[in-house]
Structure formats: C-alpha cells, structure tokens
Amino acid sequence: MDADVIVVGSGISGGWAAKELTERGFSVLLLERGRHIEPGTDYVTEHLAPYEMPYRGFGDRQRYARDFKVQSHLAGLSDANDHWFVNDTENPYQTRPEAEFTWIRGYHLGGRSITWGRASFRLSDLNFSEAGSDGHGIRWPIGYADLEPWYSHVERFIGVNGDRDGIPSLPDGEFMPPHGMNCAEEHVKQAIAARFDGRPMINERSAVLTKAIGDRAPCHYCGPCIRGCSTGSYFSSESSTLPAARATGRLKVMTDVVVDALVHDQASGRVTGVRVIDAKSRKRSTLAARVVFLNASTLGSTQILLNSIDAETGRSFANRSDALGRYLMDHVMGPFGTATIPGYLDREPLGNRPSGIYIPRFQNLAGQDKPFRRGYGYQGSAARAMWTRGSSGEDIGLALKQRLRQPGPWQMFIGAMGECMPYADNRVTLSDKVDAWGRPQLDVAFHWHANELAMARDMASEARAMLEAAGGTDVVTGDALGPGGLAIHEMGTARMGHDPAEAVLNAHNQCHDALNVFVTDGACMTASAAQNPSLTYMALTARAAAFAADQMKQGTL
Amino acid sequence: MHRRDILQWIAAAAFAGPAMAQDMTGMAGHAMASRDSVPPPPPHTPFAPARHAALERLVQLVIPADDTPGAREAGVPAFIEMMHQHWMNEEERRRCDAELDLVMAAFASGAAIPAALYEGARFKAPTLRKLTIYGYYTSEVGASEELTLNLVPGAYDACAQVGAQDRAPSLNSWGIALSLANPGAL
C-alpha cells in the first residue's frame, strides 16, 4: 500500500478530503496533475500595479488566440492571472459548435481554489426536495438535515462572512461580520424591498476573512483575489486545508502526476489502486490504497472513471447505471442588468471589497409562479465609475483629463445565476483522440434546453424591473446565454442517487459499483440548485470522508 | 505604494508588535513573490520617426500636462507602439494606421488644431484616443500621480466622504476594469 487513501486532485474538494482523512488518523497520498505552488512566493502578480505587468492587465492577446482559445472565453483573463489557466493547445478536448462546452480550468496545486469566486451559500430543504419531484432529474439520496452539521463544520474552518438573514430557502450559517454594503447598494436594496414582496437583497456570503483565523489574516482589501493571497485571507487549499493536512504528518503530496484510470478487481468488486503517468517523463506506474477519493474536478473525475475499463466487459466498472458522463449541468449565467444610480456623489468606497450583494431566488418558492421550473438569484455590486468611462466620448484635452479626475456616477450591476436541469444528452464521453499522455480525450456536448432559455429571459426582465424601481437610469439588460461552462460550475456527471440503476454514487458518495471509491467533487451533484456550489462540495466531502474513516476503522472498507 | 511598502504594511497590520524591526515577512509568516517574477513588456520597434512624432503630439493633445504630466511624458507613445506590434489584430492595426494617417494630414494642413482633428463632432482617431486613455491611466504617472493608486488599502469603508478635490482611484476590485481585460476588440 502506498497510503490508506489516495486523493486525486488538490482543489477545493480534494484539499478537504486530505484534511479530514489525515486528521482522522489515515495516511493520504494526494495526487495533483499540475505543478507545485508555494503559497505567497508563487502568487507572482499579487499587488502588482498595471504598469508592472507586461500588458498592463490587458493580457497577451496574440498568445491567447493561439493557445488559450477556450480559456479566453473567460472575461477577465489577463496577464494578471493567465498563469492559473491551462494552455488549451496542450490540454485538448473535443466539443462541437452546435453543442459547445467551454471547459475553464487550471492545473496546479490548489486547482481552482486559488481562482474561485468565494461565494458560499448553503443549499436548502427546498433545493433537496425539488429534484426529481417535478419531472426533472432524480431524487437526492440525502436531505438538508444530513448536510447541515457539515456545512457548519466547513464554514467554521474556512471562514465565511455574511449576515444571518433568516431566509428559509437560503439557510443561515456560521458567519463572520460582512464587509457591508455601500450607500448605492443600500439605496437599491430599500427600493427593491419597498416595491417587491419577499425579495431581500443581502450581503453576499463569501469565504473571505473579516477576522483572523490562526495565522490567516483578515482581508486587506487589495481587490483581485484571483491573483492569490499571501496572507491567506480567502479560502484556498493552500491557505487552509493543505496546511492542516500537512500538520498531521500523514499527508504526502505528489505533483505532476496524471491519473490514467482506477484499477478495478472484478472478483472483489473493489478498486485496488490508481494507474498514474508522470506528467513530465510520461513514465507509467500503479499506486495502491484501501480507498480512493476522486476530486479531480467534475470532468476530470468523470474522465478517470470512464477510462477505468474492465477487461471482461470492455466498459467502465462504474457505469452500470449508464449515468456516468450524462446529466452535465452548468449554471444559467450571462443575463444581467446595469444602471446608473443617481446621487451619493459625495461618497465613495475606500478599499476594494472582494464580494458584493446577493438577491436570493424569489421565483417558484411556494408553488410555480413563473413559466419555468426552479429559479435563480443575482450577485452584484455598485461602484463609482472609473476612468475607463472616458474611452467612449469625443472629448480630448484638459476637459477630458479633468472629467476623469473625479470618480464617475454610481453604477449598479446585477448578474443572474440559475438552476440548470440535468439532461441525458448533455454528456461527456471518451473520444478516439488521445492527449499528450496517451489518455482518451473527453468529448463534451452541452446545450441549453427550453427551461434554461425561459429562465434567461426572465432574469433580464426582472433585472430591469428592479433597477428601474430603484430609480436607475441608463438601464441596460441582456438575456444572452453563451456556451455552457462559463459559470465554471460544471457538475452532475456521476450523480448521487439511491438506485444503482440510475445513479453512479450512493448517499455517502461511494460508487454503487465499487464501495471503496468516493467521488465528492461537482460530478456527484444530483441537481444544481441556483447557489454557487463549492461550499456544498466541501460539506459533502467532509461528510463522506468522516464516513469513510468510520468504515475503515470498523474494517468494513 | 511600492511593493516593499506593501510587505511592511501587511506585516504591520496583520501582526503588529514590538518585533516589527525584524524581517517583517518572516515574522508574519507570509512569504510574497519577488518583484522580478513577472516579465517586462516585450521589446518593440518604434514607428518611423515622422509617425512617432505625430503620435507623440496626438497623445499629448488627448491628455495634456497640467499640474501632472501628460500622456507623452507618461510613455503612452511606446505603449501604443507595443500594443500595435504585439497585441492588436490585423484589422485594428490597419485602423490605427489609417487614423494616424488622418492625424498627420491634419497636422500638415496648417489648419487649426484640434479643430482639424474633428469631422463635425466626431474625433477622427477614436482608436488612438481610446489607447491613449488606456495607456495613460495604467502608467505609473497616470495611475498614481494623476489619480490615486492604493494597491493595499488595508481597510474598507463602504461609503467614505469624498471631497471635490479628491482624485479618483485608478484601480477597482478587479485590479482594473473587468471589461477592459481580454477585450474582444478595441
């Protein structure tokens, strides 16, 4: 045995698996396909001014056109952060124009925990009970009560700021004080509350510290968290879970190791190890463990399972259900509204708050009141317009310079994020093309269905109604949906469910077809809900790791 | 604020104490990247002398010096030439070249400037105007002398009082306006 448990992937959920399992006394071998990252010293663009970067934050666009064709769909990809995203030429997958999926990812220790948006919302009873009850998807094998203590466990450790808002469909958690709304946001909040019943606007709940936890300092308000945080003020694997796992003395990390497949023993019905490829030398070997946790990201874990083929059947050992690779979801994201909020010109935020506001789902909460199922919420913020407003206009000279010297008017932005249904034809399969390591590439097909398109139209019209109710001028809205994947919330391709005939994982995130394999990244999600999902992945991982540890102690795993 | 000051600030704010005279990063336990880990802009070939001179004159008309330096002193011509060579696509490059042709013709005509740079109310070189603004407010002069640059504010005040003489910040929460990073087109 190389370890009690092999954890594949060091991102948001993999770090949690490593922490929980090592703290419960088990040795963990953590495999990361990307490079090693040293917290702090490898955050090479942190606190750089624009003029200290080669393209001043505009990005090396010619290189992106060559080698970042997919990643450059990400608004905000720039020379301040492009080192956190894969070179698409070196990491190809197949997709097609009529069902295009943009797979945004980064291969390095910590994965997308360095670049995530930090929004941390719990799912609710409503979310767990809706799935499978309205003709969409299947039932979750767990309910909110199963996850509630694990949400608390995770929130206390990572540090989440927010208010206890008392909203049943968005349960409260263990919160530090929020950063707080600015005056334009308060104005919009009050106007929405006055005009619309049951539509509170709240502080976004965000995994950024407003009080120290151990040697993690409170936020210093530099702004662009995506560059990395040397004070560990937001949750990442580097700042939080990996140091905790290392402190046990039971963690071994191997970077630059690509997992090819799991080794499945048909006689025992168990997985005995992991076939790996050295990312640099291409040398292949097999590592052995009692238990495997797959946390390689939704598509990464799915790719490994699809490629874990039994010699006798010629099929993946984990796919008796035929659900593996199907039911790919990504949040409905793209529709937005912006407006100028008049007044408050003698006020301005000082410091760059790394979060914003949230308008929780207000649709279909008690019976169906919209022409679509489920619902959506909005994230957003208000800020004084910057000098960039000068780029439109015809004026030059001192008048222009003096115009841009002062902050511009307040502008409010709200962007929607909504539930995506699971559809069998939104699917990843193995292509006949191989990657640089000889593994079959993924082939990803995704398109929006009628429910998502109806939701998108409503997102834009409700955004307009709220911004107009707030006295906003120059209201602009959009209802366009880009290709799937741009919310970077891909999930669902190895879903949980009681019935092995329709789900890949059981209520403890174990593979129905091999109980010593756990999948606790986004692949496990039975339904997407409208909330940002990472907090739920962490809670599911901690819960599954505790279960696995108990089973190993009892000798049943 | 320069990077060494930021290091000191973080150490001080997070772990203020009598040991501050010691190595501050070491004391705080928060290592930071070295300033040299990011490459400089790629080298570029300046425009031909006459075109370079016209570009210098134009950017200074767009953002002149007053109590702070103008776009020429801020190095905007070199920024535009670098973007022209290494960043723009073919269509944008042609458009910039054509705009600079119009500007040179206006300068050579002997007509009054800036009136000759307008066609009715429309400025004849909108792409170069936009690039001048991008280049100026992302330069050290534009970002930190003309406007306010505070890379590590250290605290958050949601609605601070702002006076008529206070200069706007040059950065926002994303480090720069999100809509400008990786834009589809100029």
Side-chain angles (χ1 to χ4, degrees):
Chain A
M1 289 284 170
D2 293 282
D4 294 322
V5 185
I6 291 175
V7 175
V8 183
S10 63
I12 285 179
S13 66
W16 266 95
K19 167 186 158 1
E20 295 292 306
L21 289 160
T22 53
E23 287 181 344
R24 284 175 166 76
F26 296 95
S27 62
V28 166
L29 175 56
L30 178 62
L31 304 179
E32 167 53 53
R33 63 167 297 162
R35 67 194 164 105
H36 175 73
I37 292 296
E38 201 57 50
T41 48
D42 283 331
Y43 301 154
V44 293
T45 55
E46 188 189 14
H47 303 144
L48 289 189
Y51 49 84
E52 295 174 308
M53 293 182 283
Y55 293 87
R56 305 215 183 156
F58 298 108
D60 186 349
R61 198 169 56 152
Q62 292 184 5
R63 183 164 64 99
Y64 299 166
R66 242 179 6 252
D67 287 333
F68 289 72
K69 285 194 172 68
V70 176
Q71 308 307 305
S72 58
H73 278 84
L74 180 67
L77 181 75
S78 80
D79 41 337
N81 55 46
D82 56 22
H83 50 291
W84 297 135
F85 296 92
V86 297
N87 178 315
D88 292 307
T89 308
E90 293 169 0
N91 295 280
Y93 65 97
Q94 302 300 310
T95 188
R96 55 191 63 68
E98 71 278 11
E100 185 183 4
F101 191 83
T102 52
W103 188 11
I104 310 291
R105 58 208 152 120
Y107 292 151
H108 44 259
L109 191 66
R112 289 182 289 192
S113 78
I114 296 178
T115 53
W116 73 307
R118 307 166 304 284
S120 298
F121 300 109
R122 296 183 177 200
L123 269 54
S124 69
D125 267 331
L126 175 69
N127 301 123
F128 283 106
S129 63
E130 277 178 320
S133 71
D134 57 6
H136 289 286
I138 59 170
R139 291 192 175 279
W140 281 94
I142 59 171
Y144 178 67
D146 296 302
L147 217 47
E148 193 280 334
W150 297 103
Y151 275 131
S152 290
H153 176 69
V154 167
E155 286 160 348
R156 279 193 293 265
F157 183 77
I158 69 174
V160 177
N161 76 77
D163 287 313
R164 296 182 65 83
D165 298 293
I167 300 166
S169 55
L170 194 75
D172 290 331
E174 317 288 329
F175 299 140
M176 298 184 171
H179 308 294
M181 292 185 201
N182 60 47
C183 37
E185 291 162 347
E186 286 285 354
H187 170 96
V188 173
K189 169 189 171 168
Q190 284 163 23
I192 293 173
R195 168 70 181 74
F196 303 93
D197 282 338
R199 208 177 288 194
M201 187 171 117
I202 65 174
N203 280 300
E204 183 187 351
R205 299 168 184 175
S206 174
V208 179
L209 302 188
T210 55
K211 291 178 171 176
I213 294 183
D215 65 356
R216 296 176 56 204
C219 178
H220 51 264
Y221 298 100
C222 70
C225 298
I226 193 170
R227 299 183 189 178
C229 185
S230 54
T231 59
S233 303
Y234 71 86
F235 167 81
S236 66
S237 298
E238 268 82 357
S239 72
S240 306
T241 46
L242 295 183
R246 277 197 199 97
T248 66
R250 287 184 281 273
L251 176 70
K252 184 179 177 194
V253 178
M254 291 172 69
T255 49
D256 299 299
V257 172
V258 177
V259 172
D260 182 36
L262 305 186
V263 183
H264 181 245
D265 175 50
Q266 223 166 2
S268 66
R270 292 168 60 90
V271 158
T272 57
V274 178
R275 281 209 311 267
V276 299
I277 308 164
D278 184 302
K280 291 171 174 165
S281 72
R282 310 285 198 266
K283 191 164 164 277
R284 288 174 172 261
S285 57
T286 300
L287 300 167
R290 279 172 79 181
V291 168
V292 174
F293 265 69
L294 284 180
N295 300 93
S297 83
T298 293
L299 296 187
S301 293
T302 303
Q303 182 172 21
I304 291 166
L305 286 176
L306 284 170
N307 200 35
S308 300
I309 292 167
D310 271 334
E312 270 182 47
T313 63
R315 300 183 52 196
S316 165
F317 77 84
N319 198 18
R320 202 155 31 116
S321 61
D322 192 37
L324 182 64
R326 295 190 187 273
Y327 311 110
L328 174 62
M329 299 174 276
D330 183 39
H331 278 131
V332 181
M333 193 174 159
F336 71 95
T338 62
T340 298
I341 305 299
Y344 307 104
L345 295 178
D346 60 343
R347 300 281 162 173
E348 180 182 35
L350 287 185
N352 297 309
R353 180 189 53 179
S355 65
I357 58 90
Y358 190 64
I359 302 171
R361 171 177 161 185
F362 51 83
Q363 320 82 27
N364 302 331
L365 291 177
Q368 192 173 352
D369 52 31
K370 287 286 189 183
F372 53 85
R373 299 283 187 177
R374 316 283 175 92
Y376 61 84
Y378 297 90
Q379 286 169 266
S381 61
R384 300 290 298 265
M386 296 177 70
W387 56 264
T388 50
R389 70 192 187 278
S391 66
S392 59
E394 308 289 338
D395 52 338
I396 64 168
L398 285 177
L400 170 67
K401 191 178 181 186
Q402 279 155 15
R403 171 164 83 91
L404 300 182
R405 196 165 275 175
Q406 262 75 49
W410 286 92
Q411 290 176 322
M412 182 86 198
F413 166 84
I414 54 175
M417 184 181 294
E419 181 155 359
C420 171
M421 298 299 192
Y423 303 102
D425 63 344
N426 283 341
R427 186 182 188 194
V428 300
T429 52
L430 294 183
S431 150
D432 53 8
K433 297 191 170 64
V434 295
D435 66 15
W437 300 273
R439 306 183 315 155
Q441 292 178 23
L442 279 186
D443 188 327
V444 191
F446 183 93
H447 70 279
W448 304 110
H449 289 233
N451 200 67
E452 288 77 32
L453 297 171
M455 188 183 283
R457 287 190 290 274
D458 196 67
M459 289 165 160
S461 65
E462 289 284 9
R464 174 172 293 279
M466 287 188 283
L467 292 171
E468 287 179 351
T473 59
D474 308 319
V475 177
V476 175
T477 62
D479 65 2
L481 292 181
L486 288 180
I488 326 182
H489 291 166
E490 67 273 12
M491 61 175 100
T493 45
R495 66 186 179 183
M496 297 168 72
H498 278 305
D499 185 353
E502 59 180 17
V504 178
L505 307 171
N506 69 16
H508 295 285
N509 295 73
Q510 294 170 286
C511 270
H512 280 298
D513 299 334
L515 293 178
N516 67 335
V517 177
F518 293 75
V519 184
T520 67
D521 58 24
C524 75
M525 296 290 279
T526 307
S528 73
Q531 293 92 318
N532 308 56
S534 297
L535 184 75
T536 298
Y537 302 168
M538 293 191 240
L540 285 166
T541 302
R543 178 176 175 272
F547 174 83
D550 284 347
Q551 297 282 303
M552 283 191 283
K553 279 174 187 156
Q554 291 167 23
T556 46
L557 252 189
Chain B
M1 198 179 203
H2 284 290
R3 203 169 168 81
R4 59 180 175 279
D5 307 321
I6 294 164
L7 282 169
Q8 293 185 1
W9 179 86
I10 287 173
F15 296 91
M20 272 188 57
Q22 297 172 15
D23 175 354
M24 294 190 183
T25 24
M27 180 190 74
H30 298 307
M32 289 185 71
S34 113
R35 197 187 178 80
D36 322 317
S37 355
V38 171
H44 71 274
T45 310
F47 290 173
R51 296 183 75 79
H52 179 85
L55 182 64
E56 284 199 334
R57 186 174 169 196
L58 175 73
V59 302
Q60 197 73 353
L61 285 164
V62 174
I63 301 181
D66 50 3
D67 57 337
T68 64
R72 186 183 59 226
E73 297 91 62
V76 169
F79 169 73
I80 292 177
E81 288 165 336
M82 185 281 287
M83 293 288 272
H84 185 274
Q85 186 171 342
H86 294 293
W87 192 88
M88 290 181 203
N89 60 37
E90 280 303 323
E91 189 278 324
E92 290 162 347
R93 205 171 283 142
R94 275 196 300 273
R95 181 154 30 104
C96 276
D97 292 346
E99 287 182 11
L100 192 55
D101 290 342
L102 290 176
V103 167
M104 292 174 79
F107 287 161
S109 70
I113 299 293
L117 295 174
Y118 283 85
E119 190 139 354
R122 202 187 67 81
F123 189 62
K124 286 181 179 173
T127 313
L128 292 171
R129 177 184 174 280
K130 190 184 278 190
L131 278 164
T132 302
I133 291 170
Y134 289 175
Y136 182 71
Y137 293 102
T138 58
S139 71
E140 184 159 9
V141 160
S144 67
E145 289 183 40
E146 168 63 15
L147 299 183
T148 307
L149 181 66
N150 192 350
L151 291 168
V152 185
Y156 177 65
D157 183 342
C159 260
Q161 188 82 35
V162 53
Q165 298 310 309
D166 288 342
R167 296 184 179 222
S170 56
L171 295 181
N172 68 5
S173 290
W174 297 283
I176 195 168
L178 188 64
S179 60
L180 283 188
N182 184 30
L186 263 177

